[in-house]
Amino acid sequence: MTAPHTSGPARPAAAPASGEASDSDDSGLLAALLDGMDTALCAFDADGTVTHWNREAERILGWSAAEAVGRQGLAGWAVRPADAAEVAARLDAAMAAPGRHVHEFALLTKDGGRVLVRTQLSALPGTGDRPAGVYCAFSEVHTQIDLERSIALSEALFGDASWGVVLVDADLRPALANAHAARALRTGRTALLGRPLGELLDQGVEEVEGALQHVLAAGAPPAPTDLWVTLRDQGGAPPERRCWRSGFLRLASPLAEEPVPLGVAWLFLDVTAARLTEQDSARLRFRASQLHRAGRAVAECEDPMEAAALYMDFALAGFADHALIDLLPEPCQAPEPPLRLVRATATPAGTPGPCPAMGRGGLPVPYPDGHPALQAVERCGSVRAASDCTETWATARKWPEGTAHALATALRSRGRTLGVVTFLRGPSRRPFDRSDATYAEDIACRVAASIDLAGPTP
């Protein structure tokens, strides 16, 4: 590329003065700065003669600096004759008025094509009241529009968008966040900036940080992903588990010779309600399928007690780790204390396994007063219990070691209480909820019918 030139008659050679080396260095620096600009730039003196023409202007229009510098105005070579008067008037107006003036007009390329540009005109101050000229910075309109769209998109995302947007720097700390993200994280937009994610999230922070590190190292994943997180207790609000549908974009500087990651844009949307609904639907379908399969299998059992045990085997899948069945010595309509329960069957206490067939004899179980199984028999309903995190909690209730959650449901048939079935879960599983109690009662009805069909209880 040819460096920018200044117009004017040739000067005779002369011996260099003491300041000429400095002037030459300044001119070279100016030429390098102009050529390195991303925006096309040309300048005119007070008479309208082109004095500067940088490489971006050459790229857009095709005219080299040698061909452009020294021409009188743009008419006839860079502007159509029909547009020349309007363009000249705008240049004169910009020279006479202070400030910056933005216009759009068509310029001619060297090969005869036309390109629509957006220009910024500004006068160059001179000595006295007379301006020294005007400079014109211009770029293609579509390039300018792309830039404005990018800026507008950023402003829209960081406004009150329906998605949460967080810019995370290379140290995995939030650098910018929109209002939606701040509400989701239960904090202010400025309060979360620069804080480690571990101060905002309790459970799930490892997954989030792992995803961010992956994006910084390898780029964005091909599709959004669901991240389950639990927010830390802030401002007295109880912790809650949320599912955020998350997408990630790696941000790299467009000005670097090689892509240098500036951080990650994390976009997320709260889909907790939808995911919980999907989980509940899947759970209901699975449980209905298990009951259907159990009914088909039980129909082939000759022994009703074997059928009751088979029901328990199908019920335990995906529902509980262990199950116990305790029966009353005699069925009764309204059991009254003191109650005595006899162990009929139980799944293996060490490793989960199939429920053995129930026998007709057994030993009484020394349940203490207020035990959930006794309460379920007295109420003819269901009772839930959860561990108090002590080591003796399960042992004191005559349950296998490691039990953390229990659900006891009365066995009722023909208006009488036959006993109780107790489902147990370990600490790695969630507590029993109301939908679990409904399912347990459905199972208990089928088990009780089979036990009642077998005749007198032990």
Side-chain angles (χ1 to χ4, degrees):
M1 295 290 185
T2 304
H5 304 287
T6 57
S7 64
R11 297 180 181 178
S18 60
E20 288 188 6
S22 177
D23 293 342
S24 176
D25 291 344
D26 291 344
S27 299
L29 176 60
L30 175 61
L33 290 175
L34 294 179
D35 275 349
M37 294 177 61
D38 293 331
T39 301
L41 184 138
C42 62
F44 305 86
D45 62 15
D47 297 326
T49 302
V50 179
T51 60
H52 293 81
W53 190 268
N54 73 348
R55 295 189 181 185
E56 185 66 12
E58 178 180 348
R59 186 193 67 80
I60 294 176
L61 298 180
W63 300 97
S64 67
E67 295 171 316
V69 173
R71 288 179 179 265
Q72 184 67 32
L74 301 175
W77 62 285
V79 174
R80 292 192 313 166
D83 300 331
E86 180 184 357
V87 173
R90 292 178 178 177
L91 291 173
D92 292 340
M95 194 179 305
R100 185 178 58 179
H101 307 271
V102 179
H103 302 284
E104 289 183 3
F105 48 76
L107 296 179
L108 287 177
T109 62
K110 187 176 181 179
D111 58 7
R114 298 181 69 196
V115 57
L116 184 64
V117 299
R118 179 171 296 179
T119 64
Q120 297 184 31
L121 305 176
S122 183
L124 295 171
T127 59
D129 296 334
R130 179 178 171 81
V134 63
Y135 76 80
C136 173
F138 62 92
S139 60
E140 297 173 86
V141 166
H142 69 84
T143 303
Q144 186 72 18
I145 291 176
D146 288 343
L147 175 61
E148 292 179 359
R149 283 174 179 163
S150 298
I151 296 174
L153 175 61
S154 299
E155 293 294 331
L157 287 175
F158 287 99
D160 196 11
S162 58
W163 278 73
V165 183
V166 180
L167 291 189
V168 183
D169 61 20
D171 296 326
L172 306 187
R173 294 173 182 262
L176 193 61
N178 68 349
H180 185 101
R183 289 193 298 268
L185 292 167
R186 292 180 175 178
T187 185
R189 293 183 62 179
T190 57
L192 63 85
L193 303 184
R195 297 172 59 185
L197 293 176
E199 294 184 5
L200 303 170
L201 305 176
D202 186 7
Q203 299 178 4
V205 64
E206 295 86 0
E207 289 78 3
V208 174
E209 291 182 343
L212 295 172
Q213 290 173 346
H214 172 79
V215 174
L216 285 172
T225 183
D226 288 349
L227 294 175
W228 285 90
V229 300
T230 301
L231 302 176
R232 287 199 178 277
D233 186 3
Q234 298 180 12
E240 56 180 338
R241 193 163 181 258
R242 312 300 299 174
C243 180
W244 290 343
R245 185 68 170 167
S246 301
F248 301 92
L249 297 172
R250 181 167 63 176
L251 305 179
S253 173
L255 303 179
E257 294 182 2
E258 298 181 0
V260 178
L262 299 177
V264 179
W266 176 22
L267 294 84
F268 64 88
L269 183 66
D270 194 321
V271 293
T272 306
R275 293 298 178 266
L276 291 178
T277 300
E278 292 172 2
Q279 290 179 1
D280 290 343
S281 299
R283 187 182 300 116
L284 288 174
R285 288 194 300 270
F286 175 75
R287 290 176 176 178
S289 174
Q290 287 296 99
L291 290 178
H292 173 74
R293 293 174 59 199
R296 295 289 299 272
V298 164
E300 304 300 325
C301 291
E302 296 181 0
D303 183 1
M305 299 300 283
E306 180 184 353
L310 193 58
Y311 268 124
M312 298 301 298
D313 286 337
F314 279 94
L316 282 176
F319 181 67
D321 297 326
H322 302 286
L324 314 170
I325 293 182
D326 302 316
L327 301 178
L328 290 169
E330 294 291 338
C332 56
Q333 293 183 349
E336 296 180 358
L339 298 175
R340 188 170 69 92
L341 293 173
V342 177
R343 176 63 46 83
T345 188
T347 56
T351 302
C355 184
M358 288 185 284
R360 294 190 174 274
L363 297 176
V365 185
Y367 285 140
D369 293 339
H371 191 279
L374 299 179
Q375 294 182 31
V377 172
E378 292 175 1
R379 300 175 186 178
C380 299
S382 298
V383 175
R384 287 176 282 169
S387 171
D388 58 3
C389 299
T390 59
E391 296 181 358
T392 60
W393 184 83
T395 305
R397 287 159 180 77
K398 311 302 178 182
W399 290 332
E401 184 179 356
T403 297
H405 312 291
L407 171 60
T409 301
L411 295 171
R412 298 275 297 177
S413 178
R414 293 190 296 164
R416 301 176 303 162
T417 299
L418 307 182
V420 60
V421 56
T422 306
F423 296 98
L424 306 174
R425 287 177 178 173
S428 62
R429 307 186 64 169
R430 63 179 179 82
F432 290 99
D433 56 21
R434 182 166 298 183
S435 65
D436 294 329
T438 301
Y439 181 58
E441 290 167 359
D442 196 358
I443 297 169
C445 289
R446 298 167 187 257
V447 172
S450 296
I451 295 174
D452 195 16
L453 183 63
T457 55

